[in-house]
mmCIF file of all heavy atoms in Angstrom:
data_model
loop_
_atom_site.group_PDB
_atom_site.id
_atom_site.type_symbol
_atom_site.label_atom_id
_atom_site.label_comp_id
_atom_site.label_asym_id
_atom_site.label_seq_id
_atom_site.Cartn_x
_atom_site.Cartn_y
_atom_site.Cartn_z
ATOM 1 N N GLU A 39 213.554 214.029 95.288
ATOM 2 C CA GLU A 39 214.857 214.142 94.655
ATOM 3 C C GLU A 39 215.990 213.686 95.679
ATOM 4 O O GLU A 39 216.988 213.132 95.224
ATOM 5 C CB GLU A 39 215.193 215.572 94.279
ATOM 6 C CG GLU A 39 214.525 215.945 93.141
ATOM 7 C CD GLU A 39 215.025 217.420 92.617
ATOM 8 O OE1 GLU A 39 214.822 218.358 93.369
ATOM 9 O OE2 GLU A 39 215.468 217.478 91.558
ATOM 10 N N HIS A 40 215.809 213.975 97.076
ATOM 11 C CA HIS A 40 216.978 213.838 97.972
ATOM 12 C C HIS A 40 216.770 213.125 99.212
ATOM 13 O O HIS A 40 217.572 213.087 100.055
ATOM 14 C CB HIS A 40 217.415 215.278 98.272
ATOM 15 C CG HIS A 40 217.759 216.062 97.206
ATOM 16 N ND1 HIS A 40 218.841 215.862 96.415
ATOM 17 C CD2 HIS A 40 217.148 217.175 96.641
ATOM 18 C CE1 HIS A 40 218.970 216.886 95.376
ATOM 19 N NE2 HIS A 40 217.846 217.601 95.636
ATOM 20 N N PHE A 41 215.562 212.377 99.273
ATOM 21 C CA PHE A 41 215.363 211.610 100.615
ATOM 22 C C PHE A 41 214.490 210.297 100.216
ATOM 23 O O PHE A 41 213.796 210.237 99.176
ATOM 24 C CB PHE A 41 214.615 212.356 101.551
ATOM 25 C CG PHE A 41 213.338 213.041 101.185
ATOM 26 C CD1 PHE A 41 212.189 212.255 101.379
ATOM 27 C CD2 PHE A 41 213.297 214.278 100.647
ATOM 28 C CE1 PHE A 41 210.943 212.851 100.964
ATOM 29 C CE2 PHE A 41 212.033 214.938 100.423
ATOM 30 C CZ PHE A 41 210.922 214.213 100.500
ATOM 31 N N ASP A 42 214.700 209.241 101.024
ATOM 32 C CA ASP A 42 214.009 208.033 101.005
ATOM 33 C C ASP A 42 212.883 208.043 102.006
ATOM 34 O O ASP A 42 212.845 208.809 102.893
ATOM 35 C CB ASP A 42 214.907 206.853 101.284
ATOM 36 C CG ASP A 42 216.054 206.660 100.451
ATOM 37 O OD1 ASP A 42 215.930 206.763 99.190
ATOM 38 O OD2 ASP A 42 217.218 206.375 100.881
ATOM 39 N N GLU A 43 211.931 207.124 101.671
ATOM 40 C CA GLU A 43 210.693 207.084 102.599
ATOM 41 C C GLU A 43 210.438 205.557 102.848
ATOM 42 O O GLU A 43 210.542 204.753 102.079
ATOM 43 C CB GLU A 43 209.516 207.741 101.937
ATOM 44 C CG GLU A 43 208.238 207.813 102.792
ATOM 45 C CD GLU A 43 207.192 208.643 102.181
ATOM 46 O OE1 GLU A 43 207.287 209.049 100.977
ATOM 47 O OE2 GLU A 43 206.150 208.950 102.952
ATOM 48 N N ILE A 44 209.952 205.389 104.154
ATOM 49 C CA ILE A 44 209.481 204.114 104.537
ATOM 50 C C ILE A 44 208.116 204.282 104.989
ATOM 51 O O ILE A 44 207.746 205.250 105.791
ATOM 52 C CB ILE A 44 210.262 203.534 105.608
ATOM 53 C CG1 ILE A 44 211.612 203.130 105.114
ATOM 54 C CG2 ILE A 44 209.640 202.174 106.179
ATOM 55 C CD1 ILE A 44 212.636 202.710 106.208
ATOM 56 N N ALA A 45 207.186 203.462 104.729
ATOM 57 C CA ALA A 45 205.613 203.583 105.005
ATOM 58 C C ALA A 45 205.310 202.240 105.763
ATOM 59 O O ALA A 45 205.616 201.102 105.171
ATOM 60 C CB ALA A 45 204.861 203.750 103.809
ATOM 61 N N TYR A 46 204.773 202.411 106.919
ATOM 62 C CA TYR A 46 204.344 201.259 107.795
ATOM 63 C C TYR A 46 202.875 201.396 108.017
ATOM 64 O O TYR A 46 202.389 202.411 108.530
ATOM 65 C CB TYR A 46 205.143 201.264 108.951
ATOM 66 C CG TYR A 46 204.821 200.208 110.035
ATOM 67 C CD1 TYR A 46 205.213 198.874 109.836
ATOM 68 C CD2 TYR A 46 203.993 200.452 111.014
ATOM 69 C CE1 TYR A 46 204.966 197.884 110.650
ATOM 70 C CE2 TYR A 46 203.431 199.428 111.824
ATOM 71 C CZ TYR A 46 204.013 198.206 111.890
ATOM 72 O OH TYR A 46 203.740 197.122 112.620
ATOM 73 N N GLY A 47 202.099 200.323 107.654
ATOM 74 C CA GLY A 47 200.738 200.325 107.851
ATOM 75 C C GLY A 47 200.398 200.263 109.420
ATOM 76 O O GLY A 47 200.891 199.332 110.226
ATOM 77 N N VAL A 48 199.454 201.143 109.839
ATOM 78 C CA VAL A 48 199.120 201.194 111.296
ATOM 79 C C VAL A 48 197.582 200.653 111.286
ATOM 80 O O VAL A 48 197.259 199.774 112.196
ATOM 81 C CB VAL A 48 199.174 202.584 111.872
ATOM 82 C CG1 VAL A 48 198.575 202.633 113.217
ATOM 83 C CG2 VAL A 48 200.548 203.088 111.852
ATOM 84 N N GLU A 49 196.679 200.975 110.504
ATOM 85 C CA GLU A 49 195.359 200.589 110.374
ATOM 86 C C GLU A 49 194.789 200.701 109.086
ATOM 87 O O GLU A 49 195.290 201.553 108.205
ATOM 88 C CB GLU A 49 194.538 201.184 111.470
ATOM 89 C CG GLU A 49 194.214 202.624 111.295
ATOM 90 C CD GLU A 49 193.487 203.310 112.412
ATOM 91 O OE1 GLU A 49 193.726 203.006 113.752
ATOM 92 O OE2 GLU A 49 192.511 203.950 112.207
ATOM 93 N N GLY A 50 193.779 199.902 108.766
ATOM 94 C CA GLY A 50 193.174 200.003 107.431
ATOM 95 C C GLY A 50 194.076 199.475 106.350
ATOM 96 O O GLY A 50 194.994 198.818 106.632
ATOM 97 N N ILE A 51 193.791 199.777 105.134
ATOM 98 C CA ILE A 51 194.638 199.462 103.883
ATOM 99 C C ILE A 51 194.828 200.533 103.063
ATOM 100 O O ILE A 51 193.783 201.247 102.577
ATOM 101 C CB ILE A 51 193.970 198.239 103.223
ATOM 102 C CG1 ILE A 51 193.751 197.079 104.068
ATOM 103 C CG2 ILE A 51 194.893 197.810 102.022
ATOM 104 C CD1 ILE A 51 192.941 195.996 103.387
ATOM 105 N N MET A 52 196.034 200.858 102.792
ATOM 106 C CA MET A 52 196.396 201.942 101.782
ATOM 107 C C MET A 52 197.083 201.290 100.654
ATOM 108 O O MET A 52 197.835 200.317 100.832
ATOM 109 C CB MET A 52 197.533 202.950 102.559
ATOM 110 C CG MET A 52 197.615 204.227 101.667
ATOM 111 S SD MET A 52 196.378 205.485 102.013
ATOM 112 C CE MET A 52 196.963 205.866 103.716
ATOM 113 N N THR A 53 196.667 201.736 99.465
ATOM 114 C CA THR A 53 197.213 201.219 98.130
ATOM 115 C C THR A 53 198.202 202.237 97.728
ATOM 116 O O THR A 53 197.953 203.316 97.466
ATOM 117 C CB THR A 53 196.155 200.954 97.159
ATOM 118 O OG1 THR A 53 195.183 200.004 97.704
ATOM 119 C CG2 THR A 53 196.824 200.368 95.872
ATOM 120 N N PHE A 54 199.518 201.815 97.797
ATOM 121 C CA PHE A 54 200.620 202.514 97.151
ATOM 122 C C PHE A 54 200.920 202.091 95.802
ATOM 123 O O PHE A 54 200.862 200.854 95.588
ATOM 124 C CB PHE A 54 201.885 202.368 98.092
ATOM 125 C CG PHE A 54 201.863 203.173 99.317
ATOM 126 C CD1 PHE A 54 201.299 202.686 100.429
ATOM 127 C CD2 PHE A 54 202.580 204.512 99.422
ATOM 128 C CE1 PHE A 54 201.193 203.548 101.669
ATOM 129 C CE2 PHE A 54 202.596 205.252 100.598
ATOM 130 C CZ PHE A 54 201.878 204.764 101.690
ATOM 131 N N THR A 55 201.212 203.014 94.960
ATOM 132 C CA THR A 55 201.706 202.656 93.621
ATOM 133 C C THR A 55 203.125 203.214 93.516
ATOM 134 O O THR A 55 203.388 204.455 93.665
ATOM 135 C CB THR A 55 200.807 203.306 92.504
ATOM 136 O OG1 THR A 55 199.426 202.883 92.611
ATOM 137 C CG2 THR A 55 201.377 202.942 91.212
ATOM 138 N N ILE A 56 204.026 202.264 93.467
ATOM 139 C CA ILE A 56 205.514 202.624 93.475
ATOM 140 C C ILE A 56 206.108 202.079 92.220
ATOM 141 O O ILE A 56 206.109 200.870 91.995
ATOM 142 C CB ILE A 56 206.120 201.979 94.856
ATOM 143 C CG1 ILE A 56 205.434 202.438 96.037
ATOM 144 C CG2 ILE A 56 207.584 202.258 94.723
ATOM 145 C CD1 ILE A 56 205.860 201.700 97.353
ATOM 146 N N ASP A 57 206.694 202.968 91.442
ATOM 147 C CA ASP A 57 207.279 202.599 90.203
ATOM 148 C C ASP A 57 206.390 201.735 89.347
ATOM 149 O O ASP A 57 206.797 200.825 88.727
ATOM 150 C CB ASP A 57 208.575 201.924 90.479
ATOM 151 C CG ASP A 57 209.576 201.847 89.287
ATOM 152 O OD1 ASP A 57 209.433 202.649 88.457
ATOM 153 O OD2 ASP A 57 210.456 201.097 89.312
ATOM 154 N N GLY A 58 205.018 202.187 89.181
ATOM 155 C CA GLY A 58 204.006 201.546 88.477
ATOM 156 C C GLY A 58 203.392 200.289 89.081
ATOM 157 O O GLY A 58 202.524 199.593 88.502
#
Side-chain angles (χ1 to χ4, degrees):
E39 282 189 305
H40 305 291
F41 57 87
D42 297 320
E43 183 173 7
I44 294 170
Y46 177 83
V48 176
E49 65 185 49
I51 301 171
M52 191 85 71
T53 303
F54 280 81
T55 301
I56 303 171
D57 202 18

